[in-house]
Amino acid sequence: MNIQITPKPLKGRIPSISSKSHAHRLMIAASLCEEPCQVHISDMNQDLEATQNCLMQLSDESPVLDCHESGSTLRFLLPIAMALKNQASFFGSGRLPERPLSPLKEELEAHGCTFTTETDISFPPFDGSTLIYTGTGRLKGGAFQLPGNVSSQYITGLLFALPLLKEDSSITLTSKLESSGYVRLTLEVLECFGIRIRQEFSKNPKREQETLYSFVIKGNQKYKSPGEVTAEGDWSNGAFWIVADALSSFSQRTSEPSVSCLNLNKNSAQGDKAILSFVRAVRQTKKSKEKLVFDASEVPDLVPILAVLAASREGITEITHAGRLRIKESDRLATVHELIGSLGGDITELPEGLVINGTGKLRGGTVNGHNDHRIVMSAAIASILCTEPVIILGAEAADKSYPKFFEDFTRLGGEFHVL
């Protein structure tokens, strides 16, 4: 679906959708309980449906799991399935089969699992999906080592799986933990379901200013149902409306709120609540031309909308420690660079980040969504800054995490039509 947006400020109140990160974790924990647990999720999306469908398949003797395009589903369920089954096959579509699984895969192989790209399935079980790996051999406990700066999803998958094993286990991080909020969210969910994990901390001998994490996990634990749980509001997608509020207020030269995103918990472990401090920094320096530096190591998902926010101020903004974005649904450093450039902005792509030379406005133009939900939604919000229409190619990619995005965009006064 290609759409054309007419630039205009947004105004109104919108309820936040359920946090995809929180909902994934609640669904998985609930599925591992012997007793029933009701999980309340206000808004499903393609990634959550992938997890839901895979969890239903885990009851099979040799499950065949289609993770579609959901990296969370694959990275969480890879160790969980191998803790529960002697064989499981993992399929994916879009860019997911190309996205890395190292060093998680190697750690699983060091603890009893074998992975091949061959399968005894004689026909493709899912339209558009390809085999990623077939795993055989039951996962065994022991000492696991992972870097903390590659993917917090690897850590979360092991934290879910290792309590199920007979043996005790430990996870030692060999470098600084990035996206630590996602790991905290995992630990909170595990505690809610009766799983006990001890955290330990030490100084990195190579960099004394860095703290290294380790996790000690007793085996033979059981997930205990709390009865019912509710996924909290999503800061990752709420960030689009928070930035829309800032951009709409700027365009109307008012300090009054234009857009309010409701039901967001400011005490949440979700790291993307940092969008509030980023918006505050931009408001305070909008006309000063002071250089701003945003460290994205804890909040990589915010980078596309942060780049749009940076374009709304006059001056240079640098986004650093964002190299992991190259292995997302798209190479997000390249596609964010293309997004801002296509709309007339001044942006430079670096190996690990971006530099935006903001002027306070954008021209408009055509943006390729690159099948990436965050690029599509960022382009829609960027239209507020534009003087000419914005055309988005492949706008349906927003369905991956936020199927109602353009419905809510319209509710707030946004105007678009399908080309």
Side-chain angles (χ1 to χ4, degrees):
M1 177 180 73
N2 302 330
I3 65 171
Q4 179 172 303
I5 299 176
T6 301
K8 60 182 298 188
L10 303 182
K11 188 174 182 62
R13 293 155 62 88
I14 206 80
S16 64
I17 64 171
S18 291
S19 164
K20 182 163 68 102
S21 300
H22 197 210
H24 274 302
R25 288 160 171 79
L26 293 177
M27 290 165 62
I28 291 170
S31 76
L32 296 173
C33 296
E34 293 180 358
E35 312 88 358
C37 179
Q38 188 171 8
V39 181
H40 299 284
I41 301 171
S42 63
D43 303 271
M44 292 292 286
N45 56 50
Q46 291 175 352
D47 283 4
L48 293 178
E49 288 170 357
T51 291
Q52 183 181 54
N53 292 335
C54 286
L55 291 173
M56 293 172 63
Q57 303 306 314
L58 275 183
S59 60
D60 295 348
E61 183 177 348
S62 298
V64 178
L65 309 177
D66 184 10
C67 302
H68 290 284
E69 298 183 42
S70 175
S72 297
T73 305
L74 175 60
R75 290 165 173 173
F76 293 170
L77 293 186
L78 191 70
I80 293 170
M82 301 318 298
L84 298 173
K85 304 294 177 179
N86 293 318
Q87 178 173 309
S89 295
F90 301 86
F91 285 74
S93 55
R95 203 165 179 243
L96 184 61
E98 304 167 19
R99 294 172 69 179
L101 284 169
S102 295
L104 175 62
K105 171 179 168 286
E106 288 76 12
E107 282 298 287
L108 298 179
E109 288 175 327
H111 292 82
C113 302
T114 301
F115 295 95
T116 71
T117 54
E118 300 176 357
T119 179
D120 55 7
I121 300 171
S122 59
F123 57 91
F126 311 107
D127 289 342
S129 289
T130 58
L131 177 70
I132 299 173
Y133 284 117
T134 293
T136 56
R138 194 70 68 94
L139 181 64
K140 295 180 173 59
F144 291 75
Q145 285 194 338
L146 288 171
N149 60 351
V150 175
S151 175
S152 66
Q153 293 173 345
Y154 297 165
I155 302 164
T156 285
L158 286 175
L159 288 172
F160 271 111
L162 297 182
L164 299 169
L165 306 180
K166 294 179 181 179
E167 307 87 0
D168 296 344
S169 300
S170 65
I171 306 170
T172 300
L173 303 188
T174 58
S175 62
K176 179 184 176 183
L177 175 60
E178 296 184 356
S179 296
S180 60
Y182 290 113
V183 176
R184 288 198 303 275
L185 192 64
T186 299
L187 293 172
E188 286 183 2
V189 169
L190 290 170
E191 184 176 6
C192 176
F193 283 82
I195 299 297
R196 299 292 176 255
I197 292 176
R198 188 172 83 247
Q199 295 184 73
E200 296 180 349
F201 307 94
S202 62
K203 292 293 183 184
N204 187 339
K206 297 180 181 179
R207 297 184 183 87
E208 288 201 2
Q209 71 274 19
E210 285 186 5
T211 298
L212 297 181
Y213 286 68
S214 59
F215 306 91
V216 179
I217 304 116
K218 288 287 187 184
N220 285 315
Q221 296 193 57
K222 292 187 180 297
Y223 282 78
K224 299 173 183 176
S225 171
E228 60 180 321
V229 288
T230 300
E232 62 187 27
D234 186 23
W235 281 98
S236 298
N237 283 320
F240 293 104
W241 306 126
I242 292 168
V243 171
D245 171 58
L247 271 52
S248 298
S249 298
F250 293 160
S251 69
Q252 298 179 93
R253 293 184 171 83
T254 177
S255 59
E256 295 297 317
S258 293
V259 178
S260 298
C261 188
L262 310 176
N263 309 320
L264 291 172
N265 176 15
K266 291 186 178 181
N267 295 318
S268 171
Q270 295 178 59
D272 287 345
K273 67 185 180 183
I275 189 63
L276 295 176
S277 62
F278 293 151
V279 167
R280 191 178 308 117
V282 167
R283 287 185 185 273
Q284 292 171 349
T285 62
K286 180 168 170 55
K287 295 293 184 180
S288 71
K289 297 190 177 181
E290 172 188 348
K291 180 179 179 179
L292 287 182
V293 178
F294 292 145
D295 183 339
S297 59
E298 290 288 333
V299 288
D301 284 344
L302 290 183
V303 168
I305 196 61
L306 269 182
V308 173
L309 179 64
S312 75
R313 66 182 293 266
E314 296 180 13
I316 293 175
T317 304
E318 183 174 0
I319 299 173
T320 64
H321 300 104
R324 286 181 294 155
L325 289 176
R326 296 199 183 278
I327 58 170
K328 294 288 188 176
E329 284 83 346
S330 66
D331 176 345
R332 279 195 188 143
L333 291 182
T335 53
V336 171
H337 175 264
E338 182 183 313
L339 159 65
I340 299 298
S342 297
L343 297 179
D346 183 351
I347 183 170
T348 301
E349 179 184 344
L350 303 176
E352 299 282 329
L354 298 163
V355 176
I356 301 96
N357 186 8
T359 62
K361 60 183 179 181
L362 294 169
R363 181 189 63 241
T366 299
V367 175
N368 188 327
H370 288 286
N371 198 35
D372 189 326
H373 52 133
R374 300 199 188 280
I375 297 298
V376 167
M377 293 186 283
S378 296
I381 300 304
S383 70
I384 299 169
L385 293 177
C386 293
T387 56
E388 299 174 13
V390 172
I391 294 172
I392 304 176
L393 307 180
E396 71 277 4
D399 293 350
K400 186 174 192 291
S401 65
Y402 197 163
K404 296 194 308 180
F405 175 80
F406 284 104
E407 178 184 330
D408 287 347
F409 182 78
T410 303
R411 286 177 60 187
L412 294 170
E415 293 184 9
F416 74 93
H417 66 270
V418 177
L419 299 175

